[in-house]
Amino acid sequence: MSETPALRESPPPAAHGLPLDADSILALAARSMFHLFSSMSQGMFLADRSGRVVWVNEGYRRFLPALGVASVDDFLGHMVEEVIPNTQMRRVLETGQPVLIDLLTNQAGTFVVSRLPLHDDAGLVIGAIGIVLFDHPETTLQPLISKFARLQRDLDDARRELAAQRGRAQSGTGLRQAKHTFASFVGASPAATEVKRQARRAAQSSSPVLLLGETGTGKELLAHAIHAASPRAAGPFVGLNIAAIPDTLLEAEFFGVAPGAYTGADRRGRDGKFKLADGGTLFLDEIGDMPASLQAKLLRALQEGEIEPLGSNQLLPLNVRVVAATSRDLPAMVRAGQFREDLFYRLHVLPIRVPPLRERRADIPALVEVLSDDMGLRNDMPPPEWHADALALLAAQEWRGNIRELRNVLEQAAMRGDSGVVDARLLGEVLRAAGVEPKPALTDLAPGLPRTQAQDESQRLLRPLHVQVAELEQQAIAASLAANGGNKLATARQLQISRATLYARIDQTA
């Protein structure tokens, strides 16, 4: 019994041990975590309540030149949006809610970031911390990205199957449905991945989406995919190509016609595309070709959420999400007075640039495979086999018509081939017959090398990009370590990366 009081007594704190009161422990933990994040992350900065940058650590300073900032003095004291494009720090400051994991893409690259609000004792937001957790996520997070990509493909396949089942169940009802999902947008290049990421985000919003890009890049396919991934997926998807309809009929196509509106009009009236898309998505293709006389009425429909059919005095409330697309330069048309500025800003809420095929050449082999399989199914014949030299020649072309032109060339080559095999010679003939002088394939761009060595170099460069980047990084690290006598701190400074990144890269090869 005499031991009981002794057991209940707290032992005296050891020298240099933890503080005894909770407030001091929390303060110590906060300081330790701050220093830990500052040293282990790729970079970190602080912004005050107004969004002005007030502090930046050494790691973040290496990103400043890529951001177009000449010096730290030009970075500090500026609003965070002015010096870090596409940042969402303002939302954290306004809501007080942290963003633990996010992808940030701007001219400096793509980064995995975290944004944490800072609160005072009263719980009010007084600032925020921005942390770059990983740079070059395509290499540092490759295992995680690969796993996510597989899960995303499985999810897209499941959505596509559900959409097909829904379409079969609703066949005969006249309900219009999306025909494509994000799985239909073929490509795993950085450009294709980024456009799909932006489109997936846009799908969760109800704001207008503006798809910008050259003809044949897949804007309509993306519009279908955005609808299929949105909360409106069960509603109708209605498309309208403005360039394909005479100006005199566009108003009736948009807003419908009241019964007996004019001589020869249907006595029962006719619903327009806005009415047909009620509760779903209206896709307006080639919005840049819309006549000026109709732009004001479209603007009103978007702003007020209501339409007035032709020949009617009644306003019909509607719930429609608009996705527009154009291959024309809308800002230039606004400056020239050819497109209403207020309508442009109403549509330009969630702009997504769809890259041309020449900016994602790494996707061409996958596109060739998918398009060939589709051609085989349509024609009830096995798809052609493509030689490596044919694929290299395809990857070297400009493709001004983008995927639409690529498909046309593939179909012609498949029809001309007697053996079911397409090589570079046959493909060159098809391109020349179409009035295109083929650009030399990758193997022909190294005339100083023996043919077999050039082919090896071609195959080496056609490997996945993340593998090539990782090899180049390891070569640079090995060279810098040798130049600095194995000093890792000097190596990290010379390569302008943090020590944490250097250790991680070294561990990957251990």
Side-chain angles (χ1 to χ4, degrees):
M1 298 296 293
S2 61
E3 294 180 356
T4 303
L7 290 174
R8 292 177 179 175
E9 292 178 1
S10 300
H16 307 294
L18 285 173
L20 297 181
D21 61 296
D23 291 340
S24 298
I25 291 177
L26 287 176
L28 175 63
R31 289 195 302 271
S32 300
M33 291 298 293
F34 184 88
H35 291 303
L36 178 64
F37 274 122
S38 180
S39 60
M40 297 298 293
S41 68
Q42 305 303 309
M44 194 165 76
F45 70 91
L46 293 179
D48 63 15
R49 178 67 183 88
S50 67
R52 197 176 303 277
V53 180
V54 296
W55 176 83
V56 58
N57 75 344
E58 190 69 30
Y60 201 95
R61 297 184 184 191
R62 63 191 176 93
F63 301 126
L64 299 187
L67 290 171
V69 180
S71 66
V72 176
D73 293 336
D74 294 329
F75 189 73
L76 296 174
H78 288 268
M79 290 298 177
V80 65
E81 298 91 344
E82 298 176 359
V83 290
I84 307 178
N86 302 331
T87 180
Q88 299 296 314
M89 186 65 81
R90 179 68 57 186
R91 182 158 60 99
V92 175
L93 292 169
E94 292 175 349
T95 64
Q97 298 298 316
V99 178
L100 299 181
I101 295 290
D102 193 16
L103 279 176
L104 171 67
T105 299
N106 51 40
Q107 66 264 41
T110 298
F111 308 94
V112 179
V113 300
S114 183
R115 308 180 187 95
L116 307 175
L118 297 174
H119 299 272
D120 61 12
D121 293 338
L124 299 177
V125 177
I126 57 174
I129 305 176
I131 305 171
V132 179
L133 299 175
F134 299 99
D135 57 352
H136 303 298
E138 65 274 10
T139 55
T140 56
L141 298 181
Q142 183 57 37
L144 182 61
I145 291 176
S146 299
K147 183 176 181 180
F148 175 78
R150 288 193 299 271
L151 293 174
Q152 187 64 53
R153 283 196 299 269
D154 293 343
L155 178 60
D156 287 337
D157 290 342
R159 282 175 171 165
R160 183 165 48 190
E161 179 60 27
L162 286 173
Q165 293 177 4
R166 202 161 46 232
R168 289 191 293 267
Q170 294 170 341
S171 60
T173 64
L175 185 61
R176 305 168 186 234
Q177 294 289 326
K179 300 177 182 178
H180 306 285
T181 66
F182 286 114
S184 307
F185 193 90
V186 179
S189 65
T193 302
E194 174 62 16
V195 77
K196 284 191 281 190
R197 184 186 72 85
Q198 294 181 16
R200 284 193 177 96
R201 279 192 171 185
Q204 305 309 311
S205 170
S206 60
S207 299
V209 178
L210 182 59
L211 301 174
L212 305 167
E214 299 175 9
T215 180
T217 52
K219 298 188 293 297
E220 183 173 356
L221 187 151
L222 270 181
H224 281 264
I226 289 172
H227 173 77
S230 74
R232 297 172 176 264
F237 178 89
V238 179
L240 177 64
N241 189 322
I242 296 173
I245 300 174
D247 294 355
T248 54
L249 299 180
L250 266 178
E251 184 174 357
E253 284 290 328
F254 265 102
F255 306 115
V257 180
Y262 50 84
T263 302
D266 194 330
R267 292 183 179 180
R268 294 172 298 177
R270 182 172 178 271
D271 290 335
K273 294 299 190 287
F274 264 99
K275 178 65 175 176
L276 294 175
D278 192 19
T281 301
L282 176 61
F283 173 55
L284 303 179
D285 199 7
E286 298 301 343
I287 189 73
D289 292 295
M290 175 175 285
S293 59
L294 197 58
Q295 293 177 21
K297 291 189 176 183
L298 175 60
L299 177 63
R300 175 178 174 80
L302 294 177
Q303 288 181 336
E304 305 299 333
E306 58 188 20
I307 63 169
E308 185 177 349
L310 192 65
S312 173
N313 293 323
Q314 294 184 344
L315 295 175
L316 300 179
L318 295 175
N319 176 22
V320 175
R321 198 266 182 91
V322 171
V323 177
T326 184
S327 57
R328 304 182 65 177
D329 188 347
L330 284 189
M333 294 179 66
V334 170
R335 292 191 295 270
Q338 299 171 346
F339 198 86
R340 290 183 64 104
E341 186 173 14
D342 46 6
L343 178 58
F344 171 75
Y345 289 123
R346 191 70 184 86
L347 294 171
H348 199 263
V349 178
L350 294 172
I352 298 176
R353 179 182 176 271
V354 186
L357 192 54
R358 58 184 173 275
E359 292 184 11
R360 52 188 194 103
R361 299 180 189 274
D363 295 330
I364 288 180
L367 282 166
V368 170
E369 181 180 0
V370 171
L371 294 174
S372 298
D373 289 343
D374 182 64
M375 289 187 299
L377 290 174
R378 289 175 181 269
N379 299 319
D380 194 22
M381 58 186 295
E385 178 184 344
W386 300 89
H387 273 185
D389 58 357
L391 292 175
L393 185 61
L394 288 171
Q397 308 312 307
E398 286 297 313
W399 302 116
R400 298 192 180 279
N402 294 291
I403 299 174
R404 191 174 292 121
E405 181 187 1
L406 174 64
R407 184 187 187 99
N408 177 267
V409 169
L410 297 183
E411 288 184 352
Q412 290 190 55
M415 294 303 172
R416 290 193 183 193
D418 297 327
S419 61
V421 178
V422 179
D423 57 14
R425 180 193 60 78
L426 175 59
L427 194 60
E429 293 177 359
V430 172
L431 289 170
R432 292 186 184 93
V436 177
E437 184 60 32
K439 290 195 171 185
L442 196 58
T443 52
D444 293 329
L445 295 179
L449 298 176
R451 183 67 177 179
T452 54
Q453 186 177 353
Q455 290 174 342
D456 292 342
E457 178 69 6
S458 171
Q459 292 302 314
R460 191 182 71 82
L461 292 174
L462 291 176
R463 294 176 302 157
L465 185 61
H466 70 87
V467 174
Q468 300 184 52
V469 171
E471 287 184 358
L472 183 60
E473 286 183 344
Q474 294 302 329
Q475 294 171 11
I477 290 173
S480 182
L481 282 171
N484 291 287
N487 188 315
K488 294 182 175 61
L489 178 58
T491 296
R493 287 177 176 172
Q494 184 178 51
L495 297 177
Q496 296 186 6
I497 60 176
S498 67
R499 282 179 293 174
T501 298
L502 178 62
Y503 290 135
R505 299 294 196 277
I506 294 174
D507 289 343
Q508 289 174 3
T509 58

